[in-house]
Amino acid sequence: MAAHDDNVVWHPHPVIPAQREQLHGHKGVVVWFTGLSGSGKSTVAGALEEALHKLGISTYLLDGDNVRHGLCSDLGFSEADRKENIRRVGEVANLMVDAGLVVLTAFISPHRAERQMVRDRVGEGRFIEAFVDTPLAVCEARDPKGLYKKARAGELRNFTGIDAVYEPPTHPDVHLDGEQLVTKLVAQMLDLLRQGYIINS
């Protein structure tokens, strides 16, 4: 990342986040789904976005594979590139929260330090870490993209859960059992958002 440039000065806007939230009718927040590949992150995030949309909530879903088609298309899967991938996504998510959106993200984001980095950037009370806790054996049995098979065959290196570490959250804001029905997990998330006064629908 480039060093700080004294010639780059933050430009304040006349419309502030609270006014944008008032327009949307709800708070801006990031729901950060983390878990192994195949845990169900993207499925739950997509179903939650659909449920929120039906309630009139302004949302946007950032998915790990999708951002690598554009925003992060220049990055590989080295440790440095993975960290930069999460940093960029965190910055985009922060801008969207500033716009008053409920932002849903689905990223393995294997390291606690990187998830904490995004939490610190977005701010306490605006970041909800949702751990989709699914056993490795279940994720590997699902293997929706055939990645575990490739990793076991030695065709895919540095694959999280096989030959690269995944650090599960020690104190996630919400713990989701990835073997439960998606409808049940979505209901759990909606309850959490209502209890936290994020949404009132």
Side-chain angles (χ1 to χ4, degrees), residues 20-31:
R20 299 187 191 106
E21 290 179 337
Q22 185 177 22
L23 185 65
H24 291 296
H26 56 76
K27 287 177 64 175
V29 70
V30 177
V31 181

Side-chain angles (χ1 to χ4, degrees), residues 15-83:
V15 178
I16 63 173
Q19 291 171 304
R20 299 187 191 106
E21 290 179 337
Q22 185 177 22
L23 185 65
H24 291 296
H26 56 76
K27 287 177 64 175
V29 70
V30 177
V31 181
W32 190 278
F33 290 96
T34 179
L36 294 170
S37 178
S39 62
K41 300 180 302 299
S42 294
T43 302
V44 176
L48 178 58
E49 184 182 35
E50 187 175 15
L52 289 170
H53 182 75
K54 288 178 180 177
L55 293 173
I57 306 301
S58 301
T59 63
Y60 197 83
L61 173 56
L62 293 166
D63 183 80
D65 282 348
N66 291 0
V67 299
R68 282 184 174 273
H69 280 84
L71 177 69
C72 298
S73 61
D74 59 323
L75 299 177
F77 291 91
S78 67
E79 284 297 313
D81 279 0
R82 287 183 174 192
K83 184 174 182 178

Side-chain angles (χ1 to χ4, degrees), residues 77-95:
F77 291 91
S78 67
E79 284 297 313
D81 279 0
R82 287 183 174 192
K83 184 174 182 178
E84 174 61 13
N85 182 60
I86 296 303
R87 188 196 69 80
R88 291 184 192 180
V89 171
E91 290 294 333
V92 171
N94 187 47
L95 290 172

